[in-house]
Amino acid sequence: MAISAVRPRARAAFLNRSQWMGILFLAFGVAILLFFGRGLEPGQQAKFGLNPGWVSQAIPIPDLVLPVQPTIYILGSIALLLGGWQLARGFRSADAVLGVIAICFVVAFLTWAARGKSFNLVGMLGSSLVRATPIALAALCGVVSERSGVVNIAIEGIMLLSAQAAVIVATITKNLYLGLGAGILTGAIFAAIHAVMAIKFKVNQIVSATAINIFATGATSFISARFLEKNIDRLNNSGTFPVIPIPLLSKIPLLGPIFFENGIIVYLMLILTVVVHIVLFYTPWGLRTRAVGEHPRAADTLGINVFLVRYVNVILGGMIAGIGGAYFTIGSVGRFDEIMTAGKGFIGLAAMIFGKWNPFGAFASSLIFGFADSLQIKLQILRVPIPSEFLLMAPYLVTMIVLAGVVGRAVPPAADGEPYEKQ
């Protein structure tokens, strides 16, 4: 009798995911009101600039001015209302509601941070897209590779090697496009090495990729210290790609400065996102790739060359990562610094998981990481009363929260990471 009385109570102590999400929504609402709603002066306003802070072809529009106190109270109340509904009835798609509440939290935070000041919203969103570019390219590399069943955590090292190769070639030849080609070729070479190790020799894919990352860190640091620092003008001063405004589209208010006034690597990232999605889900090659990633033996039975599909996808992924690596030098600052990728390749892997191995999902996830990265810089300019160390941690905190599974279960391809033995 004692045991039977304890069991229902023990079961009741465990909440299901829907109830946990409701509690999380309520916590967001309380946090908005508690952290941002206290100590506000009545009548304070926050001004959000809707025009870029640089010379732009976009048609100017009036700035957005919000009353601080009512805005924060409304956003906090929305979060509390959605949390109560989630606990009482439950939403069909709690993840979508979580996205709405996250937006409420971010808007409330920005309104609080910009109280009594002016905040260039378009500038920050444009910066978010630019900062998301290498992360999105790393995520696309992961999607292409892992959809065929090969885990590639060497993206960080491949990007680092490609960044250095791109700036050296661009500086020597004084041609940025040749530098970009060198970055892509470097990515393909090291991805091919990983593919041979993982597919032909069946080395543990994590170990193989880790070896490339370690090699990349050591090799690029040695070359940088031994050659680049002593010959900056001859080897490490390439310049960067210019901004190319797209005719007509760049004149659109808000969207024009964000999406259509960028460098060529940002455009390549946007194009590749669409192309990879179409290839993966609407072409015979994509069907073969997904079949190999899910059940390679069944695909082999149907006549698909499993090894060829995996080799091609891993190398294509390496070429995409090579573009991401080139972004750091010839697409951004025009020189190479040691460890300048700063973990963006690993964050790209988190974006791939967050996006559930889907190109558009990975791109959207990359925007979140890019936004967190851009936000910490803007907040330092606004001098918000938060230690700069915490602001610098923002992108990595977002990564940890994502990987902790807040967004729900992410299921990888069934044969991801498993070597294939033909029988």
Side-chain angles (χ1 to χ4, degrees):
M1 289 293 290
I3 293 174
S4 63
V6 168
R7 280 179 179 168
R9 210 175 300 157
R11 281 199 297 269
F14 294 99
L15 303 177
N16 58 38
R17 185 172 186 272
S18 176
Q19 292 169 318
W20 277 116
M21 292 295 274
I23 294 173
L24 181 65
F25 297 167
L26 291 175
F28 268 110
V30 172
I32 290 173
L33 296 175
L34 192 63
F35 294 141
F36 311 137
R38 293 190 308 167
L40 297 175
E41 297 176 11
Q44 267 190 324
Q45 293 183 329
K47 183 178 178 182
F48 292 99
L50 301 183
N51 300 291
W54 60 86
V55 178
S56 171
Q57 298 182 1
I59 300 170
I61 57 175
D63 293 333
L64 176 66
V65 180
L66 293 177
V68 176
Q69 202 171 46
T71 301
I72 290 176
Y73 286 165
I74 290 172
L75 292 171
S77 301
I78 291 173
L80 290 174
L81 184 64
L82 293 175
W85 185 272
Q86 174 68 21
L87 282 175
R89 304 290 297 273
F91 290 99
R92 183 171 296 177
S93 177
D95 290 339
V97 180
L98 176 62
V100 172
I101 289 184
I103 292 172
C104 289
F105 185 86
V106 170
V107 173
F109 176 64
L110 291 178
T111 306
W112 170 78
R115 64 193 188 284
K117 303 172 189 171
S118 180
F119 184 86
N120 192 324
L121 185 63
V122 169
M124 194 192 69
L125 294 177
S127 172
S128 300
L129 178 66
V130 172
R131 290 177 178 277
T133 296
I135 299 173
L137 289 168
L140 287 176
C141 169
V143 169
V144 171
S145 182
E146 296 202 14
R147 276 288 184 176
S148 69
V150 178
V151 173
N152 186 2
I153 65 166
I155 299 171
E156 177 77 8
I158 291 173
M159 291 174 75
L160 196 57
L161 289 160
S162 299
Q164 191 174 62
V167 75
I168 291 174
V169 172
T171 305
I172 292 174
T173 62
K174 302 194 182 308
N175 188 319
L176 293 170
Y177 292 96
L178 287 179
L180 179 59
I184 295 172
L185 181 62
T186 303
I189 291 171
F190 283 91
I193 293 172
H194 176 59
V196 171
M197 298 295 288
I199 299 170
K200 181 176 179 57
F201 297 107
K202 297 179 177 50
V203 175
N204 184 293
Q205 296 172 12
I206 302 297
V207 174
S208 169
T210 302
I212 291 176
N213 285 333
I214 295 171
F215 170 79
T217 303
T220 54
S221 297
F222 171 76
I223 293 172
S224 178
R226 183 72 177 79
F227 301 105
L228 300 191
E229 290 182 4
K230 297 175 182 176
N231 302 280
I232 294 176
D233 289 334
R234 287 190 295 173
L235 295 175
N236 196 18
N237 187 15
S238 65
T240 59
F241 283 110
V243 171
I244 305 171
I246 305 296
L248 296 179
L249 295 176
S250 60
K251 296 181 183 296
I252 301 173
L254 286 177
L255 297 180
I258 296 172
F259 291 101
F260 305 115
E261 288 185 346
N262 288 293
I264 189 170
I265 295 182
V266 177
Y267 293 135
L268 280 176
M269 180 271 292
L270 295 172
I271 293 170
L272 280 171
T273 301
V274 177
V275 169
V276 170
H277 183 85
I278 292 173
V279 170
L280 271 181
F281 297 105
Y282 297 100
T283 66
W285 179 263
L287 182 60
R288 294 190 188 103
T289 297
R290 288 183 285 128
V292 167
E294 294 293 339
H295 202 308
R297 193 165 306 284
D300 194 3
T301 306
L302 293 172
I304 297 173
N305 188 331
V306 175
F307 298 129
L308 176 65
V309 170
R310 287 189 168 181
Y311 273 119
V312 171
N313 277 279
V314 174
I315 293 172
L316 285 177
M319 294 171 74
I320 294 173
I323 299 173
Y327 162 83
F328 288 99
T329 49
I330 61 177
S332 179
V333 295
R335 67 175 189 279
F336 180 84
D337 295 317
E338 292 183 19
I339 324 293
M340 68 186 308
T341 49
K344 294 293 189 298
F346 297 120
I347 295 177
L349 287 170
M352 174 195 70
I353 297 171
F354 190 8
K356 300 184 178 178
W357 288 265
N358 182 296
F360 285 142
F363 170 66
S365 312
S366 302
L367 288 180
I368 295 174
F369 293 111
F371 180 81
D373 197 10
S374 177
L375 183 62
Q376 54 98 4
I377 294 174
K378 294 292 182 184
L379 292 181
Q380 289 183 42
I381 297 173
L382 286 174
R383 297 182 179 178
V384 297
I386 299 176
S388 59
E389 291 80 3
F390 285 99
L391 296 177
L392 290 172
M393 287 192 296
Y396 308 103
L397 286 174
V398 172
T399 306
M400 293 169 63
I401 291 170
V402 167
L403 292 178
V406 170
V407 294
R409 190 182 177 199
V411 181
D416 195 14
E418 295 182 5
Y420 178 66
E421 189 72 47
K422 190 175 178 63
Q423 293 179 348

